[in-house]
Amino acid sequence: MSMPPKPGPRAGRLAQMLRVDHAGEYGAVAIYRGQRAVFDRLPHKAETAALLKDMEDGEAHHLSTFDKLLTERKVRPTLLAPLWNAAGFGLGAATALIGEKTAMACTAAVEDVIEKHYAEQISELGEDEPELVATVRQFRDDELGHKHTAETHGAESAPGYGLVSAAIRLGCRAAIKIAEKI
């Protein structure tokens, strides 16, 4: 993998980025687990459960990568991991209980924020961190794939889509700001 960053202000910003990315992937895995806790119990929703499992596996791969990067670069994870776990699982389960389309609306909203977040990081990193940029770029593409999947499975047809989507996006943006520091 990559070398630890050089000391200085850039190292601090890189640590924030990695902490946020790790926290986001941790939360994403929890969301999918919450959704699957509902859909895995519904035999007529086996296809949805399998789709969610596939997307969860992608997020678990991202999380594993950020676990390694945090260790390599000696960056502490967010202190709020237990909160992200509970909040993510709760959000996933709640949206799944409302229905399949609302679960997909949740995925689309989360992935929309994360894709934009990753795009900003790619731009900010520029050519300074080519390995990290390549990783973040691949993960951004994966997130776009998840968003597209959610949209093709009825995300925008969810009851109260605009409100649900806006609330989830707001929560994601707040979580990003909080995870940078804590």
Side-chain angles (χ1 to χ4, degrees):
M1 284 249 172
S2 55
M3 299 297 295
K6 296 175 183 155
R10 185 75 169 168
R13 177 63 184 127
L14 252 135
Q16 284 181 335
M17 287 181 183
L18 293 172
R19 183 172 19 267
V20 168
D21 294 349
H22 180 265
E25 299 298 348
Y26 187 83
V29 169
I31 290 169
Y32 285 120
R33 285 183 181 158
Q35 290 174 336
R36 286 188 35 248
V38 173
F39 291 120
D40 283 349
R41 289 175 172 73
L42 303 173
H44 65 288
K45 294 294 182 179
E47 184 178 321
T48 299
L51 179 66
L52 294 169
K53 175 68 172 131
D54 184 54
M55 290 191 287
E56 179 188 329
D57 289 346
E59 303 299 350
H61 167 69
H62 298 175
L63 178 59
S64 174
T65 300
F66 284 118
D67 278 337
K68 290 174 190 166
L69 285 167
L70 289 183
T71 300
E72 288 174 3
R73 292 173 179 246
K74 298 176 177 37
V75 174
R76 70 161 176 80
T78 180
L79 300 173
L80 299 175
L83 176 63
W84 296 156
N85 186 48
F89 188 91
L91 177 62
T95 57
L97 286 168
I98 295 169
E100 182 177 357
K101 290 179 181 179
T102 303
M104 292 299 162
C106 174
T107 294
V110 169
E111 301 299 18
D112 182 64
V113 171
I114 300 309
E115 180 276 323
K116 288 177 173 103
H117 171 72
Y118 279 159
E120 289 170 7
Q121 285 186 347
I122 291 165
S123 177
E124 184 178 344
L125 289 167
E127 296 178 18
D128 292 346
E129 293 276 342
E131 290 178 40
L132 182 57
V133 166
T135 297
V136 173
R137 184 172 284 123
Q138 177 58 57
F139 291 178
R140 182 201 60 202
D141 292 348
D142 293 346
E143 307 303 359
L144 282 170
H146 294 166
K147 179 182 174 193
H148 177 73
T149 298
E151 289 170 346
T152 61
H153 284 83
E156 295 171 346
S157 300
Y161 172 76
L163 181 61
V164 168
S165 180
I168 292 170
R169 285 185 177 116
L170 179 64
C172 288
R173 287 190 296 271
I176 287 169
K177 292 299 181 190
I178 293 166
E180 282 181 344
K181 306 296 181 196
I182 300 175

